[in-house]
Amino acid sequence: MIHGRWSRRLTSLPPFSSIFNFFHSLSSANQSHNTQNHHQLDLLDHLLQQCSLHNLKQLKQIHAKFIITGSSNSSFIAARLISIYAKFGLLNEAQKVFETCPSECFSNLLLWNSILRANVSHGKCEEAVKLYIKMREFGSLADGFGFPLIIRACGMLGDYNLCSIVHCHVVQMGFRDHLHVGNELMNMYGKIGRVDIAHKVFDRMTVRTQISWNIIVSGFAQNFDCDAAYETFLQMELEGFEPNSVTWTSLLSSFARCRRNQDTWKLYVLMRKKEVEATAEALAVVLSVCVGDDAIRKCETVHGYVIKGGFENNSIVINSLLCTYGKSGAVKQAECLFSGLQLKTIVTWNSLVSCYAESGLCNEAYSLFLQLQELDDPMMKPNVISWSAVIGAFAMAERHEESLEIFRRMQVARVVANDVTISSVLSVCAELSNFRLGMEVHGYSVRFLMDKNTLVGNGLVNMYMKCGSLQKGNIIFEGIGKKDLISWNTIISGFGMHGLGVNALETFEQMINAGTKPDEVTFVAVLSACGHAGLVDEGNKVFDQMKKVFGIEPQMEHYACMVDLLGRAGLLQRASEMVQNMPMRPNACVWGALLNSCKMHKNTEVAEETAAQIFNLESEMTGSYMLLCNLYAGNGRWKDSANVRISAKTQGLKKTPGQSWIEVKKKVYMFLAGQPMDSGMEDVHIMLNILSLHMAKEGIMPQKSSALQFAEEQEDYLYLAS
């Protein structure tokens, strides 16, 4: 900025083109050196300020004049050139200007601040830190303009030690009470997860503005401390600062991050009562917590405000509306919203595709995807998000082969998959137990540098564990840098399904020690693992910890796991008592777990009582009938077994035939219970004979009871399916 007489003279200067021509003639005129130098500096500065309104060619011409006229000793003009080049995104040119400055220019903080700002604004934080070190080596110390820039760079890098060093420099230079420096320090510590230090900085600030309060509220929000965010919010009001839209957005975000959905909604209602205008980000946050039975009503309420507040053309809000309608199953509302939009972007199309996918309507999702493919606009062709949504839709609908076929078409179209795509395909591989394809997808993720991604890592762990490769699954798990809750749940479930209850419990302890709080799914996985491994005492201990230690109320699934755990161990009386003392009415799954235990231990007395409870539920689960039927048959009570079959047939129940598959020589074979093998399965017959020989060599013979059970199951299937 020009001060004094030069700023007054520049207010009446002619247009850019006239000035440029005048500068050209001035540089060639025979004037005194001092007069020419002053004029050149003023004109150069004015021309540089005008450059943002013109093109890059003119900037290059001005830079050339800067060199020709010998004005390179002006750190002021160099700083201006650096700033303009940075605005054009030409960071290399800006760096060249800085590096070619004579050594005497480096004593001017304006030059350092300009190059620091250029790097930080373009995300070149490491380069900014190197410049800061170089700056101190030259003996130049940061000021109130430079410190906020270097502090911002440190926050983006996330290095706590570096942040502490710069904070010390701030204190040493006497900028502790500087408002902008203090705000940036709070923001920095919030980003690196040290909101405790950010709060100390806030408490020591002698001057605070609304921005200061917003930063500390946002810091608590980023670190999942919604209670502290709310307390600060209330304190802000008490000290006479009126929370604005930014404050409310941070507060809403903090409660949404902590999954306090009802509290988030209540805050939104309060915000509207106070007539605070919502931001697009606030609306997106509120829409994300519209879940449960009244989700559609809440979504429609927000939709009304969207129309009233003029957000119909805001892509963030509209896409959030489409997604929320989709998750709530309100497909008609989503379709109506989509059809009424005048401007549809690729993001809007993807939102409706995802809406169909979330609702399980994979055919509709695929149909819309094909419509998107047929659009003439090259900017509106399916992208990786479009492909991923359709692949995920078919995967969730368990239409695995179609999901894989679309993934193959995606590769043919040369669309590079992202972590979501790979995760969906890995889930299909896991469900099909297709180890070979899973390995290929793993190789794909390595080739495109996605194997370290947490989402992909979780998918790989799940795939390897379900395919029986526990060692590979565990290696992938250990290699995940940022393990989330799903990472831990997946590996625990994997150990459990293979009967490795001790490993599951050890991993559960590691999870707690790592500071990850378990959820409902974690306890289902741990209790199930204990059940399969017969770890009764350990399972009871974990079940007690749920509420006492972690504050999680046991749900139906947890009681089903406990009943299965006790029943498998032969403690049928305790299992029956647990069912009777449950705080909620047992469902068919709980009774089924008890009935299965009765079959394992051939206890027909408890089985009959359990079966009566299941039949009273009017459940269509044929498995309970099969269990009781086989139990009677195993004890020689053929008449009772026949009566159960007749009862099932009278109710029109049909058992879905059991399915299994095996991969031999890169080919997958599928079997259906009750159907003979195809004649073309010679490889499978050979494999079965090899396995039989191995069993005989180990002295393992088939149990007659198991053979009888198998025969009975085939008879039951043929009878019920007739």
Side-chain angles (χ1 to χ4, degrees):
M1 183 175 181
I2 303 294
H3 297 282
R5 59 193 181 96
W6 300 116
S7 63
R8 290 193 294 273
R9 288 179 57 188
L10 290 175
T11 58
S12 58
L13 283 172
F16 183 91
S17 57
S18 300
I19 295 174
F20 195 87
N21 293 331
F22 176 66
F23 175 80
H24 179 73
S25 61
L26 178 66
S27 61
S28 59
N30 186 19
Q31 300 182 44
S32 67
H33 175 75
N34 290 337
T35 305
Q36 184 179 2
N37 188 50
H38 285 309
H39 282 219
Q40 287 174 348
L41 290 178
D42 291 343
L43 288 169
L44 274 170
D45 180 54
H46 184 75
L47 289 170
L48 288 172
Q49 291 184 60
Q50 296 293 310
C51 263
S52 58
L53 304 175
H54 298 271
N55 56 38
L56 180 61
K57 183 179 179 181
Q58 288 175 332
L59 174 60
K60 293 284 188 179
Q61 289 175 326
I62 296 170
H63 190 181
K65 294 296 180 183
F66 171 75
I67 298 171
I68 292 170
T69 56
S71 303
S72 57
N73 59 346
S74 171
S75 55
F76 177 83
I77 294 296
R80 183 74 72 188
L81 268 170
I82 290 169
S83 176
I84 299 297
Y85 272 126
K87 285 182 180 178
F88 275 99
L90 302 173
L91 215 56
N92 288 336
E93 281 77 359
Q95 188 68 29
K96 287 177 184 177
V97 173
F98 174 77
E99 291 173 353
T100 54
C101 285
S103 57
E104 58 265 22
C105 289
F106 292 123
S107 61
N108 193 326
L109 285 178
L110 185 65
L111 181 67
W112 289 103
N113 290 344
S114 65
I115 192 64
L116 282 171
R117 184 176 292 102
N119 280 277
V120 173
S121 62
H122 286 81
K124 303 289 184 179
C125 298
E126 289 186 9
E127 187 62 33
V129 172
K130 291 177 182 177
L131 284 166
Y132 177 64
I133 295 171
K134 187 176 180 181
M135 173 183 172
R136 290 180 63 86
E137 288 174 352
F138 269 90
S140 296
L141 302 176
D143 59 3
F145 296 99
F147 268 129
L149 293 168
I150 193 62
I151 291 169
R152 194 177 309 162
C154 294
M156 293 169 71
L157 288 174
D159 188 327
Y160 174 72
N161 291 330
L162 185 61
C163 293
S164 299
I165 291 170
V166 174
H167 192 174
C168 288
H169 292 171
V170 167
V171 176
Q172 289 169 359
M173 293 297 297
F175 285 94
R176 174 186 286 178
D177 296 327
H178 192 283
L179 177 62
H180 300 306
V181 173
N183 286 343
E184 283 296 342
L185 281 171
M186 287 193 295
N187 196 29
M188 174 187 75
Y189 282 119
K191 283 184 177 178
I192 67 172
R194 294 305 305 268
V195 71
D196 55 328
I197 304 178
H199 196 253
K200 289 180 181 178
V201 173
F202 177 77
D203 287 339
R204 290 171 181 168
M205 290 179 71
T206 55
V207 178
R208 297 172 187 156
T209 64
Q210 193 173 54
I211 294 174
S212 310
W213 287 95
N214 287 346
I215 289 173
I216 193 64
V217 171
S218 177
F220 285 123
Q222 291 175 18
N223 291 275
F224 301 89
D225 194 345
C226 56
D227 292 324
Y230 186 62
E231 289 174 8
T232 307
F233 177 85
L234 295 177
Q235 185 184 354
M236 178 180 182
E237 289 183 313
L238 288 173
E239 295 196 17
F241 289 89
E242 186 67 28
N244 59 12
S245 298
V246 177
T247 324
W248 281 97
T249 301
S250 295
L251 188 64
L252 290 167
S253 177
S254 67
F255 279 86
R257 283 168 176 261
C258 296
R259 300 182 182 179
R260 301 264 290 270
N261 297 340
Q262 291 297 329
D263 292 331
T264 307
W265 179 258
K266 289 176 182 178
L267 283 170
Y268 171 71
V269 173
L270 179 62
M271 176 184 174
R272 295 301 308 124
K273 285 182 179 179
K274 289 180 174 286
E275 298 183 347
V276 178
E277 294 295 328
T279 62
E281 292 76 11
L283 293 174
V285 168
V286 173
L287 286 168
S288 71
V289 301
C290 291
V291 295
D293 297 334
D294 58 347
I296 297 176
R297 179 189 63 80
K298 290 179 178 178
C299 190
E300 289 175 340
T301 301
V302 178
H303 193 170
Y305 178 77
V306 168
I307 297 171
K308 181 181 177 182
F311 288 95
E312 296 99 328
N313 295 319
N314 188 290
S315 59
I316 295 176
V317 177
I318 295 302
N319 296 332
S320 297
L321 269 172
L322 285 170
C323 291
T324 306
Y325 277 135
K327 290 177 181 178
S328 306
V331 178
K332 294 298 180 184
Q333 288 92 323
E335 290 174 338
C336 183
L337 174 62
F338 180 81
S339 61
L341 293 174
Q342 294 180 350
L343 179 64
K344 297 182 179 73
T345 65
I346 183 64
V347 178
T348 314
W349 281 84
N350 288 343
S351 295
L352 188 58
V353 171
S354 300
C355 172
Y356 285 132
E358 291 281 354
S359 302
L361 303 172
C362 45
N363 289 334
E364 287 80 354
Y366 188 55
S367 176
L368 188 66
F369 174 83
L370 293 177
Q371 291 179 42
L372 181 58
Q373 276 189 322
E374 293 171 1
L375 294 178
D376 294 331
D377 189 349
M379 300 298 293
M380 295 288 285
K381 293 300 179 184
N383 57 15
V384 62
I385 298 174
S386 320
W387 287 95
S388 300
V390 177
I391 291 169
F394 281 96
M396 286 189 291
E398 298 185 359
R399 294 167 63 172
H400 304 310
E401 293 299 333
E402 292 163 284
S403 180
L404 292 176
E405 178 58 31
I406 296 172
F407 176 60
R408 294 186 188 99
R409 285 181 53 198
M410 177 181 178
Q411 291 177 295
V412 171
R414 297 180 181 270
V415 178
V416 179
N418 62 9
D419 54 347
V420 177
T421 324
I422 297 301
S423 177
S424 296
V425 176
L426 285 171
S427 71
V428 172
C429 297
E431 292 304 315
L432 294 176
S433 296
N434 194 326
F435 182 74
R436 179 182 59 82
L437 181 58
M439 289 279 287
E440 290 179 7
V441 177
H442 187 182
Y444 183 95
S445 70
V446 173
R447 190 160 62 253
F448 288 94
L449 306 177
M450 286 186 285
D451 55 316
K452 301 302 180 184
N453 179 280
T454 303
L455 184 62
V456 173
N458 293 343
L460 286 169
V461 172
N462 181 51
M463 182 273 295
Y464 280 124
M465 299 303 269
K466 286 187 176 178
C467 289
S469 183
L470 276 69
Q471 184 179 10
K472 285 184 177 294
N474 197 43
I475 290 172
I476 296 295
F477 171 78
E478 294 296 338
I480 298 176
K482 295 182 179 179
K483 299 179 179 65
D484 59 10
L485 183 59
I486 297 174
S487 310
W488 293 101
N489 288 349
T490 303
I491 192 70
I492 292 171
S493 298
F495 284 132
M497 72 175 65
H498 291 287
L500 302 175
V502 174
N503 298 69
L505 286 169
E506 289 176 351
T507 307
F508 176 68
E509 290 297 325
Q510 292 173 15
M511 172 184 174
I512 304 303
N513 294 334
T516 303
K517 184 180 178 181
D519 65 353
E520 293 85 352
V521 178
T522 314
F523 284 103
V524 169
V526 176
L527 292 173
S528 177
C530 291
H532 284 90
L535 304 174
V536 178
D537 293 337
E538 292 83 351
N540 279 321
K541 180 181 177 181
V542 170
F543 186 74
D544 290 338
Q545 285 180 330
M546 277 189 68
K547 187 174 181 180
K548 293 179 180 178
V549 179
F550 299 101
I552 298 176
E553 197 71 39
Q555 302 299 314
M556 192 76 73
E557 296 83 357
H558 304 107
Y559 282 101
C561 289
M562 285 303 297
V563 170
D564 183 63
L565 168 67
L566 296 171
R568 284 174 180 269
L571 305 172
L572 294 177
Q573 190 61 40
R574 284 179 59 183
S576 182
E577 290 173 358
M578 174 161 281
V579 174
Q580 293 171 10
N581 295 326
M582 283 174 56
M584 69 280 289
R585 186 184 179 189
N587 64 6
C589 293
V590 176
W591 289 114
L594 183 57
L595 184 60
N596 182 59
S597 299
C598 294
K599 173 180 170 286
M600 290 175 61
H601 298 283
K602 298 182 179 181
N603 190 319
T604 55
E605 182 180 349
V606 178
E608 288 173 342
E609 296 175 3
T610 304
Q613 295 288 345
I614 295 176
F615 300 154
N616 288 335
L617 293 174
E618 299 181 354
S619 170
E620 295 184 0
M621 294 174 61
T622 57
S624 301
Y625 287 89
M626 295 303 97
L627 284 170
L628 189 61
C629 179
N630 289 328
L631 179 60
Y632 283 140
N635 288 338
R637 296 171 59 175
W638 306 107
K639 185 176 180 180
D640 292 328
S641 179
N643 287 336
V644 173
R645 291 199 297 270
I646 293 170
S647 175
K649 183 180 179 181
T650 302
Q651 296 180 56
L653 298 178
K654 292 185 178 181
K655 182 179 182 296
T656 302
Q659 300 179 14
S660 61
W661 49 88
I662 186 174
E663 183 179 354
V664 180
K665 294 182 179 179
K666 296 185 178 182
K667 187 175 181 180
V668 177
Y669 298 91
M670 183 173 286
F671 307 92
L672 287 175
Q675 292 186 5
M677 291 185 187
D678 293 338
S679 57
M681 293 188 176
E682 292 83 3
D683 291 336
V684 178
H685 282 290
I686 293 172
M687 181 62 69
L688 288 174
N689 289 332
I690 292 172
L691 289 172
S692 298
L693 290 173
H694 277 296
M695 290 174 65
K697 187 177 179 180
E698 295 291 333
I700 301 172
M701 300 299 293
Q703 297 180 5
K704 291 185 178 181
S705 59
S706 297
L708 175 62
Q709 174 186 341
F710 176 79
E712 288 292 328
E713 285 178 347
Q714 303 313 304
E715 181 183 347
D716 290 336
Y717 166 72
L718 295 172
Y719 186 86
L720 291 174
S722 62

